Amino acid sequence: MNIHEYQAKEILGSFGIPIPRGRVALTSDQVERAAKELGGHCVVKAQIYAGGRGKAGGVKVVHHPEQAQELGKELFGRRLVTPQTGPEGLKVRRILVEEAVDIASEFYLSITLDRSTSRYCLIASAEGGVEIEEVAQKSPEKIHMLTIDPFTGLRPYQARKIALALGLSGTLCEDCVTLILNLYRCCLEKDCFLVEINPLVVTRAGWLMAMDAKINFDDNAVYRHHEYPDMLDYSQLDNLEINAGKYDLSYIKLKGNIGCMVNGAGLAMATLDVLKEFGGEPANFLDVGGGATREKVAEAFKIILQDEDVKGVFVNIFGGIMRCDVIAQGIIEAACEVHCALPIVVRMDGSKVEEGKKLLFESGLNVQIGENLGDGAQRIVKMLG
Ligand code: GDP
Ligand code: MN
């Protein structure tokens, strides 16, 4: 789960990490007022769920409150396109106004869950800032990494090793050690998948400060933090993904034209593989879960059909907990409600499968039954071809 930069900074601040003074604005007048309060010389930062804003014109230094207001007018409502947003971009609905800081040097610092070691990994580089992706690609030796043992946690000497590798010395080095340990504490206590500071800067005045922050919460831990759902900015999310979340369906939009409805993540992945094998392109990944109800199946079906790229639907369900006739009813209900004339292929197996097939045949929908996974995949590809 993503949150905005200003929210991430608030959290870092609560863990003792220095952040610039700032205000969040929802209108260009608020941008002006915030800039006035902060002394006029400010940084105006578009808040979207993506990085790369600096290069896309979403982060700018201004010198007067009126200039801040002008920039606010320009940014609000605009879709900011960065390498991380995709071509359609993300709409700017909130702007962070911060006191401008004189920067002496920029570093990169993050802690993220490394799935290959199942551990948190600390990543740091003395070449932080907007070019970090390029640094990682062209000179990986400039990126320092440290795997954190969950039983001992991050030790001060390890944090010191990183601070020294960044070229810091004296009190600045010790401040950095404290900051890194605080970042790790934040990561654990807030159940983060990622905490990233880029750039972490040394100011001309000689202080460390987090100039940009990104936090990603671990979705599986959201239930432990009752305040998290309220932190979401729905304007930054895909509509279909929001609906899927409401019904507890795992839905991810993909680029193809075959809508897929499957129960179980493993079966869903196998379905996408087999579809591809026969030349099909899945439009989404959708797992309705093991014990999905008729209502849930209907909702899932509607979500698939709302995607305008979908030209046909492939349903692959194993009726173990869920009975096949119930699934069939869900499909028929949803398809009729939205007047779906698209080709549908259903492959199902398990309890009450004959009853389910009979319901589908008698439904009047443009539906075919697949005998098995391969047959079903071939059918839907053929119906679209
Ligand atoms: P990103 O491009 O989405 O990662 O946005 P950032 O918040 O990292 O901003 C991009 C760049 O703007 C940073 O790497 C800094 O170099 C610069 N920047 C941000 N805030 C300030 C500031 O207060 N003063 C100065 N001089 N530069 C800043
Ligand atoms: Mn940044």
Side-chain angles (χ1 to χ4, degrees):
M1 178 191 144
N2 261 315
I3 54 171
H4 281 302
E5 174 194 4
Y6 76 89
Q7 295 165 316
K9 277 178 167 159
E10 251 168 51
I11 293 176
L12 292 185
S14 74
F15 281 86
I17 294 173
I19 50 167
R21 282 193 307 143
R23 303 254 186 290
V24 185
L26 301 173
T27 65
S28 50
D29 286 342
Q30 288 179 356
V31 171
E32 186 200 19
R33 227 172 304 146
K36 219 177 253 166
E37 278 174 32
L38 295 165
H41 186 202
C42 294
V43 186
V44 174
K45 312 187 78 175
Q47 300 293 288
I48 54 169
Y49 280 2
R53 298 162 303 164
K55 286 184 175 175
V59 178
K60 281 192 178 147
V61 180
V62 298
H63 296 277
H64 307 286
E66 301 81 54
Q67 208 185 345
Q69 187 181 31
E70 280 308 307
L71 194 54
K73 277 185 194 155
E74 224 173 88
L75 284 172
F76 274 126
R78 197 178 116 193
R79 282 186 167 274
L80 206 58
V81 180
T82 85
Q84 295 181 18
T85 60
E88 64 290 344
L90 282 170
K91 224 178 202 166
V92 181
R93 306 287 288 272
R94 305 177 194 188
I95 286 181
L96 173 63
V97 186
E98 281 185 340
E99 59 179 348
V101 172
D102 280 335
I103 298 173
S105 46
E106 303 195 343
F107 304 92
Y108 176 93
L109 181 65
S110 71
I111 299 176
T112 185
L113 204 58
D114 175 3
R115 294 197 189 276
S116 63
T117 56
S118 312
R119 292 178 176 197
Y120 276 122
C121 178
L122 177 68
I123 305 171
S125 175
E127 309 235 341
V130 294
E131 304 291 348
I132 189 67
E133 280 89 2
E134 213 176 310
V135 175
Q137 239 182 19
K138 291 199 177 140
S139 17
E141 75 283 356
K142 289 182 178 160
I143 310 276
H144 310 282
M145 292 210 243
L146 181 111
T147 300
I148 301 169
D149 186 308
F151 292 105
T152 54
L154 182 63
R155 310 310 303 165
Y157 80 89
Q158 294 173 309
R160 193 164 296 111
K161 210 161 115 184
I162 293 289
L164 289 169
L166 293 179
L168 300 173
S169 58
T171 49
L172 216 43
C173 176
E174 286 314 302
D175 285 351
C176 188
V177 170
T178 308
L179 189 149
I180 291 173
L181 293 172
N182 283 337
L183 192 68
Y184 180 59
R185 208 161 47 84
C186 169
C187 195
L188 287 184
E189 283 181 28
K190 295 292 178 184
D191 282 316
C192 299
F193 176 69
L194 166 78
V195 285
E196 181 186 79
I197 305 177
N198 186 36
L200 168 71
V201 307
V202 175
T203 66
R204 291 229 179 267
W207 304 102
L208 280 171
M209 197 173 256
M211 294 304 300
D212 184 16
K214 177 173 173 152
I215 287 184
N216 213 310
F217 296 130
D218 182 343
D219 289 330
N220 296 310
V222 168
Y223 77 96
R224 295 206 286 216
H225 305 268
H226 298 299
E227 72 281 16
Y228 285 1
D230 288 336
M231 295 175 79
L232 265 182
D233 177 359
Y234 286 100
S235 78
Q236 302 293 306
L237 302 175
D238 182 280
N239 257 332
L240 299 183
E241 290 182 356
I242 296 173
N243 272 341
K246 275 190 213 148
Y247 287 90
D248 205 20
L249 309 162
S250 308
Y251 172 90
I252 294 161
K253 168 130 177 71
L254 301 170
K255 291 196 160 54
N257 60 358
I258 301 173
C260 300
M261 179 163 85
V262 190
N263 64 337
L267 191 58
M269 285 191 276
T271 304
L272 301 200
D273 279 350
V274 172
L275 260 183
K276 284 262 216 198
E277 188 77 20
F278 290 111
E281 284 297 335
N284 67 278
F285 173 100
L286 194 152
D287 173 10
V288 289
T293 57
R294 188 166 90 182
E295 189 196 12
K296 225 166 146 179
V297 168
E299 227 26 73
F301 206 75
K302 279 188 240 166
I303 286 172
I304 289 175
L305 291 178
Q306 273 169 46
D307 177 355
E308 284 173 6
D309 296 336
V310 167
K311 300 290 178 249
V313 183
F314 185 30
V315 181
N316 184 18
I317 301 263
F318 179 75
I321 306 170
M322 197 169 13
R323 278 168 25 205
C324 292
D325 56 339
V326 175
I327 298 158
Q329 276 166 2
I331 296 169
I332 295 165
E333 237 174 62
C336 291
E337 198 183 317
V338 297
H339 308 292
C340 169
L342 297 178
I344 303 169
V345 172
V346 179
R347 182 261 162 166
M348 49 188 190
D349 221 331
S351 41
K352 302 263 182 188
V353 64
E354 291 313 321
E355 287 86 340
K357 285 181 182 173
K358 187 157 171 281
L359 283 171
L360 287 168
F361 273 130
E362 293 167 355
S363 68
L365 294 169
N366 182 9
V367 62
Q368 289 192 12
I369 307 285
E371 282 315 309
N372 51 50
L373 178 48
D375 179 55
Q378 275 171 292
R379 277 175 194 271
I380 189 70
V381 171
K382 211 156 143 205
M383 281 170 96
L384 292 185

